Amino acid sequence: MNKSELVSAMSERNELTKKDSKAALDSILNAITKRLSEGDPVALSGFGTLTLSYHPAKAGRNPKTGEEIIIEGQNKVLFKPAKAFKDALAD
């Protein structure tokens, strides 16, 4: 499912226009992105928790030339699903 399919599903299920559904989804995604960029975890009850994890720089190798390179450190988003979410998928 991509974003436009999600907007369509939201509008059908909640009797909203696609424009209103897209605005709501964009608002939610912006709020989550802002909180994560500030280093705060985002916990959505019944769904899961999103957190940032810093991965430090490390040495790597260019597969074409074999030359050693440094891979820069970066933040990655981790998702830990809630028990209710995992249980719903198991059914």
Side-chain angles (χ1 to χ4, degrees), residues 37-88:
S37 69
E38 294 170 352
D40 296 332
V42 177
L44 303 171
S45 180
F47 185 69
T49 303
L50 297 158
T51 56
L52 267 187
S53 174
Y54 180 74
H55 291 252
K58 60 184 177 181
R61 203 167 284 284
N62 182 334
K64 276 189 175 179
T65 64
E67 176 186 356
E68 191 168 297
I69 58 172
I70 299 297
I71 301 169
E72 294 181 20
Q74 59 183 327
N75 285 320
K76 293 188 178 185
V77 178
L78 299 177
F79 175 69
K80 182 178 179 197
K83 184 178 183 324
F85 183 63
K86 287 192 278 188
D87 291 346

Side-chain angles (χ1 to χ4, degrees), residues 6-59:
L6 181 57
V7 167
S8 294
M10 287 172 58
S11 66
E12 290 171 11
R13 187 172 187 142
N14 296 302
E15 297 178 8
L16 297 170
T17 65
K18 285 187 179 181
K19 183 178 179 182
D20 290 341
S21 295
K22 184 178 184 314
L25 181 59
D26 286 342
S27 178
I28 291 166
L29 295 177
N30 288 336
I32 290 171
T33 301
K34 184 176 186 295
R35 284 300 207 158
L36 285 174
S37 69
E38 294 170 352
D40 296 332
V42 177
L44 303 171
S45 180
F47 185 69
T49 303
L50 297 158
T51 56
L52 267 187
S53 174
Y54 180 74
H55 291 252
K58 60 184 177 181

